[in-house]
Amino acid sequence: MAFKTDTAKIKRWREERHWSQEHLAELAGIGVRTVQRVENGEPASRETLTALAAAFNVEAMALCIDPETEAAEIADQRSTEAAAALRLSFFIHLVGYAMGMVVFAAISINTGYFIMKWPALWWTVGLAGHAVPVVLISLVARHRRAMGIAHTRN
Protein backbone atom coordinates (compact mmCIF):
# COMPACT_ATOMS: atom_id res chain seq x y z
CA MET A 1 0.00 0.00 0.00
CA ALA A 2 1.36 3.43 -0.94
CA PHE A 3 1.57 6.11 1.70
CA LYS A 4 1.84 9.84 1.34
CA THR A 5 4.27 11.85 3.46
CA ASP A 6 2.62 13.96 6.15
CA THR A 7 4.57 17.12 5.36
CA ALA A 8 2.61 19.27 7.80
CA LYS A 9 3.46 16.93 10.66
CA ILE A 10 7.16 16.89 9.79
CA LYS A 11 7.29 20.68 9.68
CA ARG A 12 5.19 21.02 12.85
CA TRP A 13 7.39 18.56 14.78
CA ARG A 14 10.53 20.34 13.60
CA GLU A 15 9.17 23.72 14.65
CA GLU A 16 7.90 22.40 18.01
CA ARG A 17 11.44 21.25 18.76
CA HIS A 18 12.79 24.65 17.61
CA TRP A 19 15.00 22.91 15.06
CA SER A 20 16.13 24.59 11.89
CA GLN A 21 15.92 22.70 8.63
CA GLU A 22 19.71 22.50 8.73
CA HIS A 23 19.65 20.91 12.19
CA LEU A 24 17.02 18.34 11.14
CA ALA A 25 19.01 17.53 8.00
CA GLU A 26 22.14 17.02 10.12
CA LEU A 27 20.32 14.77 12.61
CA ALA A 28 18.74 12.73 9.82
CA GLY A 29 21.90 12.55 7.74
CA ILE A 30 20.21 13.99 4.66
CA GLY A 31 20.61 17.21 2.71
CA VAL A 32 18.97 20.48 3.69
CA ARG A 33 17.44 20.69 0.22
CA THR A 34 15.83 17.28 0.82
CA VAL A 35 14.21 18.56 4.03
CA GLN A 36 12.98 21.63 2.14
CA ARG A 37 11.51 19.48 -0.63
CA VAL A 38 9.74 17.19 1.86
CA GLU A 39 8.28 20.14 3.78
CA ASN A 40 7.08 21.67 0.50
CA GLY A 41 5.08 18.52 -0.28
CA GLU A 42 7.33 16.85 -2.81
CA PRO A 43 7.50 13.04 -2.64
CA ALA A 44 10.04 11.56 -0.22
CA SER A 45 11.90 8.31 -0.72
CA ARG A 46 11.63 5.48 1.76
CA GLU A 47 15.20 6.13 2.87
CA THR A 48 14.46 9.81 3.50
CA LEU A 49 11.38 8.95 5.58
CA THR A 50 13.36 6.40 7.56
CA ALA A 51 16.12 8.94 8.23
CA LEU A 52 13.62 11.61 9.28
CA ALA A 53 11.81 9.12 11.52
CA ALA A 54 15.10 8.24 13.20
CA ALA A 55 15.79 11.94 13.80
CA PHE A 56 12.36 12.35 15.42
CA ASN A 57 12.76 9.02 17.26
CA VAL A 58 9.52 7.59 15.80
CA GLU A 59 8.62 4.89 13.32
CA ALA A 60 8.53 5.87 9.65
CA MET A 61 4.77 5.19 9.48
CA ALA A 62 4.23 8.07 11.94
CA LEU A 63 5.39 10.43 9.17
CA CYS A 64 2.89 9.09 6.61
CA ILE A 65 -0.77 9.60 5.80
CA ASP A 66 -2.86 6.52 5.06
CA PRO A 67 -4.75 7.10 1.77
CA GLU A 68 -7.97 5.67 3.23
CA THR A 69 -7.78 8.03 6.20
CA GLU A 70 -7.05 10.96 3.91
CA ALA A 71 -9.98 10.02 1.65
CA ALA A 72 -12.29 9.78 4.68
CA GLU A 73 -11.18 13.21 5.90
CA ILE A 74 -11.75 14.73 2.44
CA ALA A 75 -15.22 13.14 2.23
CA ASP A 76 -16.10 14.44 5.71
CA GLN A 77 -14.90 17.93 4.76
CA ARG A 78 -16.96 17.91 1.55
CA SER A 79 -20.00 16.67 3.44
CA THR A 80 -19.60 19.46 6.00
CA GLU A 81 -19.23 22.06 3.24
CA ALA A 82 -22.35 20.76 1.46
CA ALA A 83 -24.37 20.91 4.68
CA ALA A 84 -23.19 24.48 5.29
CA ALA A 85 -24.19 25.45 1.74
CA LEU A 86 -27.64 23.91 2.23
CA ARG A 87 -28.10 25.84 5.50
CA LEU A 88 -27.02 29.06 3.79
CA SER A 89 -29.48 28.52 0.93
CA PHE A 90 -32.24 27.91 3.48
CA PHE A 91 -31.47 31.16 5.32
CA ILE A 92 -31.43 33.06 2.03
CA HIS A 93 -34.81 31.50 1.24
CA LEU A 94 -36.05 32.48 4.73
CA VAL A 95 -35.02 36.12 4.26
CA GLY A 96 -36.74 36.19 0.86
CA TYR A 97 -39.82 34.64 2.46
CA ALA A 98 -39.91 37.30 5.20
CA MET A 99 -39.57 40.08 2.64
CA GLY A 100 -42.26 38.48 0.45
CA MET A 101 -44.67 38.25 3.39
CA VAL A 102 -44.14 41.98 4.07
CA VAL A 103 -44.94 42.74 0.42
CA PHE A 104 -47.99 40.44 0.52
CA ALA A 105 -49.23 42.21 3.66
CA ALA A 106 -48.71 45.60 2.03
CA ILE A 107 -50.70 44.48 -1.02
CA SER A 108 -53.54 43.27 1.20
CA ILE A 109 -53.78 46.37 3.43
CA ASN A 110 -56.24 48.28 1.24
CA THR A 111 -58.48 45.30 0.43
CA GLY A 112 -59.67 44.61 3.98
CA TYR A 113 -58.68 40.93 3.88
CA PHE A 114 -55.52 38.98 3.13
CA ILE A 115 -55.84 38.69 -0.63
CA MET A 116 -52.43 37.05 -0.99
CA LYS A 117 -53.23 34.08 1.27
CA TRP A 118 -52.81 31.39 -1.41
CA PRO A 119 -49.40 32.56 -2.65
CA ALA A 120 -48.34 32.97 1.00
CA LEU A 121 -49.59 29.46 1.84
CA TRP A 122 -47.73 27.81 -1.05
CA TRP A 123 -44.56 29.78 -0.37
CA THR A 124 -44.78 28.58 3.24
CA VAL A 125 -45.10 25.00 1.99
CA GLY A 126 -42.01 25.50 -0.18
CA LEU A 127 -40.07 26.96 2.74
CA ALA A 128 -41.08 24.04 4.95
CA GLY A 129 -40.00 21.64 2.20
CA HIS A 130 -36.62 23.37 2.12
CA ALA A 131 -36.35 23.17 5.93
CA VAL A 132 -36.87 19.39 6.09
CA PRO A 133 -33.56 18.35 4.49
CA VAL A 134 -31.70 21.03 6.48
CA VAL A 135 -33.06 19.62 9.74
CA LEU A 136 -32.49 16.00 8.71
CA ILE A 137 -28.89 16.61 7.63
CA SER A 138 -28.18 18.52 10.85
CA LEU A 139 -29.64 15.69 12.96
CA VAL A 140 -27.66 13.03 11.08
CA ALA A 141 -24.44 15.04 11.43
CA ARG A 142 -25.04 15.52 15.16
CA HIS A 143 -25.72 11.79 15.57
CA ARG A 144 -22.57 10.88 13.62
CA ARG A 145 -20.45 13.19 15.81
CA ALA A 146 -22.01 11.73 18.96
CA MET A 147 -21.30 8.19 17.76
CA GLY A 148 -17.82 9.06 16.49
CA ILE A 149 -18.54 7.69 13.03
CA ALA A 150 -16.41 8.86 10.14
CA HIS A 151 -17.99 9.41 6.74
CA THR A 152 -16.62 6.36 4.93
CA ARG A 153 -15.70 3.95 7.71
CA ASN A 154 -17.45 0.57 7.93
Side-chain angles (χ1 to χ4, degrees):
M1 180 182 289
F3 289 91
K4 182 177 170 185
T5 306
D6 192 346
T7 58
K9 184 186 286 184
I10 292 171
K11 186 173 183 175
R12 186 180 71 242
W13 283 1
R14 179 182 61 78
E15 289 174 346
E16 286 173 356
R17 289 168 172 79
H18 304 289
W19 291 350
S20 64
Q21 290 179 333
E22 292 80 12
H23 183 71
L24 177 57
E26 183 180 322
L27 288 174
I30 59 177
V32 175
R33 185 69 186 122
T34 302
V35 172
Q36 292 170 345
R37 285 186 189 115
V38 169
E39 287 188 358
N40 286 329
E42 294 181 28
S45 69
R46 193 165 129 198
E47 294 78 20
T48 299
L49 282 178
T50 305
L52 288 169
F56 287 119
N57 198 24
V58 296
E59 292 188 23
M61 289 302 295
L63 301 178
C64 296
I65 300 172
D66 180 18
E68 292 177 7
T69 303
E70 184 179 27
E73 289 173 0
I74 291 170
D76 284 341
Q77 180 183 1
R78 287 182 181 166
S79 176
T80 302
E81 290 171 357
L86 182 62
R87 278 191 304 275
L88 177 63
S89 71
F90 172 74
F91 287 121
I92 291 170
H93 189 171
L94 185 62
V95 168
Y97 173 81
M99 291 173 59
M101 291 304 117
V102 169
V103 169
F104 287 175
I107 290 171
S108 298
I109 284 178
N110 291 334
T111 63
Y113 65 98
F114 192 59
I115 196 169
M116 300 298 291
K117 67 181 173 188
W118 291 112
L121 174 70
W122 287 112
W123 198 349
T124 303
V125 169
L127 183 66
H130 195 163
V132 169
V134 172
V135 170
L136 288 176
I137 288 174
S138 297
L139 289 174
V140 168
R142 184 177 299 154
H143 175 72
R144 290 172 69 96
R145 279 192 306 271
M147 301 301 289
I149 300 172
H151 183 72
T152 57
R153 289 188 197 149
N154 295 331

